[in-house]
Amino acid sequence: MENSVSVCSDFDACQARVLHAHELLCAEYGAPFRFFSTKDALSELISALLSHRTRNQDSHRAYQQLRAAFPTWEAVRDAPTPAVEQAISACTWPEQKAPRLQAVLREISTRCGGPCDLSFLADMSVAEARTWLESISGVGPKTSAATLLFSSLRIPAMPVDSHHHRVAQRLGLISAKTGPEAAHAKLEALLPPDWDAQQVYDHHEAFMFHGQKCCYFHTPACGRCVLLAQCPFGQARLGRQPPAAAPSSAPTA
């Protein structure tokens, strides 16, 4: 049914819709949310790479085992690859992720001329920092945004996970054919440019929670959804009239 959702084509209307959804979802799930991570940026990058296609509890265990096995990220970089693979065996595809982690660490070391904690990214704009990270092979928009936002840098880059992506599609903010990279660019552009890291984090978390707790992939609970009045997907699914445009005066925080 996502393919039949009418996508919002006017920027102002799209922004009004996303900000109104932000307000409703933040109220529904209890924002502001406490940041779950205090890792430095390089550690957060490694954690994000381990989390690909892996349950949170398993990627967390893999990260903890990796830290226990090696005293520094330089030690991970220079270790025999099978030893790294063994340390991260709790995550999916450790045989692929171990050499990828080491390649990322080698590339960062080369660029920095030695050990590097990525703290210098704080001196860049969001776009510059994301470009720097995404120029590393294997680092995509979700990983770069997670590194910047979730780490101790607290840079307001917005990650879009599968739940966030699904909710945005059903709201008509992006089309069903919009891939991850394009989705990050479009959805981040809809947010006010003066939002700080807490506001961007609240937005990401609220949309993610909604995908986890209501807007399920299968059989979404449209009947109890706080966004139903403005959701083309939910309206069509329940056989109701198309939603009215979101209020143009929707709050921006």
Side-chain angles (χ1 to χ4, degrees):
M1 185 173 288
E2 274 85 350
N3 290 330
S4 64
V5 171
S6 176
V7 178
C8 182
S9 59
D10 177 77
F11 178 84
D12 290 339
C14 279
Q15 187 175 64
R17 185 178 296 181
V18 78
L19 294 179
H20 189 49
H22 171 88
E23 177 191 18
L24 294 173
L25 293 178
C26 282
E28 177 75 6
Y29 297 109
F33 305 109
R34 186 172 68 87
F35 280 89
F36 69 86
S37 177
T38 58
K39 298 182 185 74
D40 65 88
L42 182 56
S43 298
E44 192 63 55
L45 173 60
I46 299 301
S47 178
L49 291 170
L50 288 172
S51 73
H52 289 180
R53 303 287 184 175
T54 302
R55 294 184 304 173
N56 287 341
Q57 63 192 47
D58 292 334
S59 64
H60 176 72
R61 184 154 56 94
Y63 177 84
Q64 294 298 324
Q65 290 175 349
L66 186 64
R67 294 311 310 255
F70 300 98
T72 64
W73 293 126
E74 289 73 40
V76 173
R77 178 195 65 196
D78 300 334
T81 300
V84 177
E85 181 180 337
Q86 177 61 35
I88 63 171
S89 59
C91 71
T92 56
W93 307 312
E95 71 284 356
Q96 297 176 20
K97 290 179 179 178
R100 184 179 302 161
L101 290 180
Q102 291 184 299
V104 167
L105 288 167
R106 283 194 296 270
E107 184 167 350
I108 290 174
S109 295
T110 298
R111 291 190 186 190
C112 293
C116 183
D117 62 8
L118 301 184
S119 59
F120 65 90
L121 294 174
D123 298 325
M124 298 182 179
S125 69
V126 175
E128 289 170 338
R130 292 191 70 157
T131 297
W132 194 94
L133 287 169
E134 290 170 32
S135 65
I136 299 171
S137 179
V139 176
K142 179 183 174 184
T143 298
S144 74
T147 299
L148 297 173
L149 181 64
F150 299 158
S151 75
S152 56
L153 293 178
R154 301 291 189 250
I155 293 174
M158 188 178 70
V160 179
D161 70 356
S162 60
H163 301 291
H164 190 157
H165 193 270
R166 181 170 65 253
V167 174
Q169 283 182 330
R170 290 174 175 174
L171 283 174
L173 300 173
I174 54 176
S175 76
K177 296 181 180 179
T178 303
E181 186 166 351
H184 275 81
K186 181 167 184 177
L187 294 175
E188 190 169 63
L190 290 173
L191 302 185
D194 61 347
W195 269 15
D196 62 20
Q198 183 67 61
Q199 290 167 302
V200 173
Y201 184 69
D202 287 345
H203 188 78
H204 163 73
E205 291 287 287
F207 270 68
M208 181 187 70
F209 286 143
H210 194 58
Q212 292 175 334
K213 300 174 183 292
C214 181
C215 194
Y216 310 121
F217 181 79
H218 296 295
T219 60
C222 298
R224 62 175 175 83
C225 176
V226 296
L227 303 182
L228 179 59
Q230 61 172 314
C231 179
F233 172 86
Q235 293 283 330
R237 186 167 178 268
L238 298 182
R240 300 185 183 182
Q241 293 297 316
S248 60
S249 60
T252 58

